[in-house]
Amino acid sequence: MTVIGIIPSRYYSSRFPGKPLENILGKSMIQRVYEQAIKSKLDKVVVATDDHRIFNEVRSFNGEVVMTSSDHISGTERCLEAINKINSKHEIIINIQGDEPFINPAQINQLINSFNNEEIEISTLAKPIESEEIFFDPNKIKVTINNKKAISFDRIINSEFKKEIFYKHIGIYAYRSKILKKICLLSPSSLEIKYGLEQLRWLQNGIDIVVLETSLDSYNVDTPNDLKKIIERFGSSK
């Protein structure tokens, strides 16, 4: 089983333009994501971007990078273009978010190992929510699970918070190559358009997403305030 990691990374973001190039304790965000990814069992790691500034930054630290269209509406579509451009024959594709500067390689490996089960087509990660701050933050996506499969993804859950009952979605996806091609042919669904969550398109089309539980957290950067918190958290150790 051969596995490639693709890191979709675009410059323009409504909440935080240019964040892939932000300096985090001496390194750009995209460099930190890349360096964490290559510590895993991935056979190859490639950044897929639509911006020459990010392209040049990845080249500056000798990372592999490919230019992709600026027209994609999701990171998944950017992943597909990237593997087509480099003529990848890898069986499994891991979509690693470009705003996860401290993603743990063990999380990537957990997803890779899930494909020892031949029935799995798409897998992702989730962590039990331990704080009200995470639960009520609309930028932290929650996933509802039944029998290890996602039922829904939500920004807000209209419920009383209960510790370790609800799950925070860790935004990393793994796909078999065949299913990746299939989901990229699907039209945006009503729920995807309403909530801005591409994975809802897959669920609405009857495609299973297996959710693996992890005890490891993620530290994604959606806003400048997220970046500030991460620098404060990791500043003493990096």
Side-chain angles (χ1 to χ4, degrees):
M1 181 172 66
T2 56
V3 191
I4 186 171
I6 303 292
I7 307 172
S9 182
R10 62 191 182 95
Y11 186 87
Y12 292 102
S13 166
S14 58
R15 285 173 290 188
F16 196 173
K19 65 180 178 180
L21 302 179
E22 284 290 327
N23 186 297
I24 301 179
L25 304 171
K27 295 180 181 180
S28 65
M29 184 187 303
I30 191 61
Q31 181 174 355
R32 287 201 172 275
V33 178
Y34 189 92
E35 290 181 350
Q36 290 298 100
I38 61 176
K39 294 176 185 177
S40 72
K41 297 193 298 184
L42 290 166
D43 297 304
K44 186 180 183 70
V45 178
V46 178
V47 174
T49 187
D50 62 352
D51 191 275
H52 286 284
R53 288 164 288 191
I54 297 172
F55 184 95
N56 291 335
E57 170 62 16
V58 177
R59 282 286 182 87
S60 75
F61 58 79
N62 297 317
E64 292 196 49
V65 59
V66 61
M67 285 294 295
T68 53
S69 170
S70 60
D71 296 330
H72 296 306
I73 62 173
S74 72
T76 300
E77 293 174 357
R78 196 174 303 284
C79 284
L80 180 61
E81 183 187 355
I83 65 170
N84 287 338
K85 276 202 163 183
I86 65 175
N87 196 28
S88 166
K89 303 300 182 184
H90 295 82
E91 301 163 84
I92 308 299
I93 298 93
I94 311 290
N95 177 350
I96 303 163
Q97 302 300 308
D99 59 4
E100 293 269 5
F102 294 103
I103 182 143
N104 196 308
Q107 293 173 306
I108 300 172
N109 291 340
Q110 185 178 3
L111 287 178
I112 294 172
N113 293 337
S114 74
F115 287 92
N116 290 325
N117 181 341
E118 294 183 358
E119 294 183 358
I120 292 178
E121 292 186 304
I122 302 177
S123 61
T124 190
L125 299 176
K127 182 182 185 298
I129 297 176
E130 300 177 352
S131 73
E132 289 188 344
E133 180 184 2
I134 297 296
F135 183 72
F136 290 112
D137 185 347
N139 292 320
K140 309 303 179 186
I141 308 305
K142 295 83 186 173
V143 56
T144 303
I145 308 166
N146 182 38
N147 195 26
K148 297 185 179 180
K149 294 179 181 179
I151 297 175
S152 69
F153 292 86
D154 302 279
R155 294 187 182 277
I156 297 174
I157 296 178
N158 294 316
S159 176
E160 179 183 354
F161 171 69
K162 294 181 180 179
K163 188 175 181 181
E164 297 188 344
I165 296 297
F166 301 96
Y167 289 84
K168 181 180 80 167
H169 181 221
I170 308 296
I172 178 173
Y173 300 100
Y175 332 83
R176 293 193 188 275
S177 58
K178 185 176 180 179
I179 196 69
L180 174 60
K181 295 171 185 176
K182 178 179 178 179
I183 61 179
C184 286
L185 291 174
L186 298 172
S187 298
S189 69
S190 58
L191 291 178
E192 175 188 7
I193 293 169
K194 182 176 181 179
Y195 296 107
L197 300 173
E198 63 170 310
Q199 61 270 42
L200 295 176
R201 183 194 315 186
W202 316 338
L203 293 184
Q204 281 192 278
N205 281 276
I207 297 170
D208 289 336
I209 304 172
V210 172
V211 183
L212 310 176
E213 184 174 332
T214 177
S215 60
L216 300 171
D217 211 340
S218 66
Y219 303 94
N220 61 303
V221 179
D222 286 313
T223 67
N225 190 50
D226 289 334
L227 180 61
K228 180 181 178 182
K229 288 180 180 179
I230 284 177
I231 290 174
E232 289 174 351
R233 180 181 181 88
F234 290 96
S236 60
S237 59
K238 298 288 179 180

